[in-house]
Amino acid sequence: MDEQLEKYLKKHNIKCKLHEHPAVFTVEESERVVKSMPDVLHTKNLFLKDEGNRYFLVCMNAFKRLDLKRLKEELDAQKKLTFASPQELKEHLNLSPGSVSIFGMIYSKKVILILDKEIWNAEKVGFHPNINTATLELNHENLERFYNSINAEKYILDLPVI
């Protein structure tokens, strides 16, 4: 686990369970991992930007597809939403592709966090701990504690899916 993340979780009294596994870079690859955590809602995290240089970290169910056009309208994004570059990901969240996670928010105050209601309402959720060789399992109480500790603009939305 990322050392800074470990310190952050301890500081904010956020409890989680660490599941180590082989590296996964895609949702398809993660399917072999989810079998070992059957009660955990698995997530994917998309780092997006609009043409007004606003950045969004969208956290949602790993097995659903986001409707970017409808999300753009909901966020009143300028022009279209696109995926940010690996350089922007490193600059704003201190992450690399394949390791995008809600926990990258500990490094940013400029990124807007968008958390899907399904994730918020889940009993247990799993996110990479800023590396893709593990998953951190959090119950709702600890997800809420993490969400409230983030010093950034953030929303819980019913995300549009295709």
Side-chain angles (χ1 to χ4, degrees), residues 53-151:
N53 284 323
R54 290 192 311 164
Y55 292 89
F56 305 91
L57 180 62
V58 178
C59 304
M60 62 184 293
N61 183 318
F63 303 102
K64 292 190 176 176
R65 289 189 55 212
L66 182 63
D67 185 334
L68 285 172
K69 288 181 183 178
R70 286 186 32 222
L71 180 61
K72 174 211 162 295
E73 293 167 7
E74 286 186 36
L75 298 176
D76 196 26
Q78 295 185 21
K79 300 207 178 175
K80 65 180 182 175
L81 286 173
T82 59
F83 286 92
S85 72
Q87 294 81 9
E88 291 165 315
L89 178 59
K90 186 68 174 170
E91 176 185 339
H92 292 281
L93 295 176
N94 196 35
L95 298 173
S96 56
S99 299
V100 182
S101 168
I102 191 173
F103 296 121
M105 291 299 296
I106 69 171
Y107 297 107
S108 178
K109 291 178 178 52
K110 295 181 181 180
V111 175
I112 300 166
L113 176 62
I114 308 294
L115 189 65
D116 187 50
K117 277 186 185 176
E118 181 181 12
I119 302 298
W120 183 253
N121 292 330
E123 206 171 294
K124 295 179 186 175
V125 293
F127 297 98
H128 285 312
N130 296 342
I131 56 169
N132 66 356
T133 56
T135 298
L136 284 184
E137 174 186 326
L138 288 90
N139 64 19
H140 177 77
E141 177 186 335
N142 285 288
L143 174 63
E144 188 171 344
R145 192 172 284 139
F146 179 79
Y147 181 85
N148 291 331
S149 75
I150 297 300
N151 186 19

Side-chain angles (χ1 to χ4, degrees), residues 30-71:
S30 74
E31 288 187 50
R32 68 178 187 259
V33 171
V34 300
K35 292 175 185 169
S36 66
M37 296 173 266
D39 297 333
V40 176
L41 178 59
H42 294 276
T43 62
K44 66 179 168 188
N45 300 271
L46 309 172
F47 188 51
L48 307 172
K49 69 176 184 175
D50 70 6
E51 292 186 13
N53 284 323
R54 290 192 311 164
Y55 292 89
F56 305 91
L57 180 62
V58 178
C59 304
M60 62 184 293
N61 183 318
F63 303 102
K64 292 190 176 176
R65 289 189 55 212
L66 182 63
D67 185 334
L68 285 172
K69 288 181 183 178
R70 286 186 32 222
L71 180 61

